[in-house]
Amino acid sequence: MTESNDEWKESLKSEKAFHEFIINYFKAHKELTGTYDIPSYYEHYVVRLDNSDGIIISLTTGMNQTSGNAPMTLPTKEKEKMSIEDFRTLILNKKFADQNMSLADVFQTVAGVPSNKDN
């Protein structure tokens, strides 16, 4: 992610500025992906902008097979849709802007993916 932490945090001050920042971000990046993977469990998320300028977070979770005898479980897929303004409000309410987090960290938290630091 090439944007500085200050750039997206500064855009939070205004609905219009944040909307423009997110639109420009996804024009340049198309999607933002992340993953959390431990031997028994995994979570993968993809964040995109939809055609109506809403944010879509797709989350896939599942269990890793740990032995040859264990049955394979199918992954669970969930989609969360929200407006850009709802996302900005969520960030402001959770006070992410006051923390030393990147935009990718915030998307990861919103998707519910644990930090790799939690391992």
Side-chain angles (χ1 to χ4, degrees), residues 65-93:
Q65 187 172 358
T66 56
S67 71
N69 298 340
M72 282 296 286
T73 58
L74 295 175
T76 302
K77 295 182 180 186
E78 299 176 39
K79 273 191 182 175
E80 174 86 25
K81 294 182 182 184
M82 67 181 69
S83 70
I84 293 172
E85 179 55 16
D86 286 345
F87 181 61
R88 184 178 85 92
T89 301
L90 179 67
I91 293 170
L92 291 171
N93 288 340

Side-chain angles (χ1 to χ4, degrees), residues 32-77:
L32 176 67
T33 61
T35 189
Y36 174 75
D37 202 349
I38 59 174
S40 61
Y41 179 77
Y42 65 88
E43 293 184 359
H44 305 281
Y45 71 94
V46 178
V47 182
R48 292 187 178 101
L49 199 63
D50 71 7
N51 293 338
S52 61
D53 289 346
I55 294 173
I56 300 174
I57 302 173
S58 301
L59 179 66
T60 303
T61 60
M63 304 298 285
N64 290 323
Q65 187 172 358
T66 56
S67 71
N69 298 340
M72 282 296 286
T73 58
L74 295 175
T76 302
K77 295 182 180 186

Side-chain angles (χ1 to χ4, degrees), residues 3 8-9 24 31 43 53 55 58 71 86 105-106 119:
E3 288 75 17
W8 75 269
K9 289 176 185 177
N24 290 333
E31 67 181 23
E43 293 184 359
D53 289 346
I55 294 173
S58 301
D86 286 345
D105 294 333
V106 173
N119 278 353

